[in-house]
Amino acid sequence: MYLGRVVGTVVATRRVEGLEGARFLLVQPLDHAHRSTGPAEVAVDRVSASPGTLVLLEGSREAALACEPTFVPVDAAIVGLVDEVDV
Amino acid sequence: MNLCRVLGTVVATEKLPIFEGRKLLVVQPLDELQQPQGKSYVAIDHTSCAGKGDVVLVMNEGGGVRMTLKEPAAPIRSLIVGVVDAVDVG
């Protein structure tokens, strides 16, 4: 898992099977000190995040496992809303 | 497994049910001289005794995590499986 900040929403009405209900958000991956750790990416939102929110993400196959149905072409999913990072 | 230092904790009350009751720790990967190397990330503490400043063993493979947690569909890839006492190099 890794931290990220939601920076926007993504609308893509033409999409493959399995992604029908998926809500896409644009996320900037961050480290513990809120420094960018790579390019912004699109993640499926599983916890009703909104732009500006600090979130917890899971990547690769585990992202697909966080979705319903499970085996969908997803490699990033928002699995938690972060209240606090205490370092 | 990765050698990592625990930097602190992540509090997230709103999360998928699978994460309920599991401790989320921010970890910083270390090189063999225990110097920070690479991006920090978040792991679940399965030892229930890892704390800030500890050097820990982090397994980063979802299949192994799901077997260890006995949760066949857990969307979790990083699990703290040990707290390191010493690293002797050379």
Side-chain angles (χ1 to χ4, degrees), chain A:
Chain A
M1 285 162 291
Y2 53 100
L3 298 170
R5 184 165 311 276
V6 178
V7 294
T9 57
V10 173
V11 176
T13 48
R14 287 157 293 173
R15 46 177 82 182
V16 299
E17 206 192 326
L19 291 180
E20 288 78 9
R23 180 167 177 259
F24 297 130
L25 292 178
L26 191 62
V27 179
Q28 172 56 56
L30 302 173
D31 69 7
H32 61 287
H34 297 216
R35 291 175 299 227
S36 158
T37 56
E41 58 188 28
V42 180
V44 170
D45 175 25
R46 299 289 294 135
V47 285
S48 343
S50 43
T53 313
L54 192 63
V55 292
L56 189 63
L57 297 112
E58 188 53 286
S60 68
R61 182 171 184 275
E62 280 63 44
L65 284 170
C67 295
E68 279 302 325
T70 302
F71 286 101
V72 286
V74 159
D75 65 7
I78 298 172
V79 294
L81 303 181
V82 174
D83 305 312
E84 197 191 321
V85 179
D86 172 22
V87 290

Side-chain angles (χ1 to χ4, degrees), chain B:
Chain B
M1 265 91 75
N2 273 151
L3 267 179
C4 293
R5 186 175 307 283
V6 176
L7 297 181
T9 56
V10 171
V11 175
T13 38
E14 190 68 35
K15 55 198 173 209
L16 290 183
I18 186 78
F19 292 100
E20 284 308 333
R22 300 186 193 278
K23 218 161 118 193
L24 298 170
L25 295 180
V26 182
V27 294
Q28 168 61 56
L30 304 174
D31 63 19
E32 69 283 4
L33 302 174
Q34 294 177 53
Q35 297 307 309
Q37 180 186 46
K39 299 181 269 196
S40 65
Y41 58 95
V42 179
I44 285 191
D45 180 18
H46 195 48
T47 67
S48 65
C49 61
K52 201 168 171 177
D54 285 341
V55 176
V56 290
L57 287 180
V58 184
M59 177 172 64
N60 283 301
E61 198 282 317
V65 172
R66 285 183 279 283
M67 255 190 319
T68 308
L69 298 181
K70 300 186 179 61
E71 292 277 1
I76 299 168
R77 195 164 31 128
S78 304
L79 194 70
I80 295 174
V81 295
V83 180
V84 174
D85 300 308
V87 176
D88 296 317
V89 178

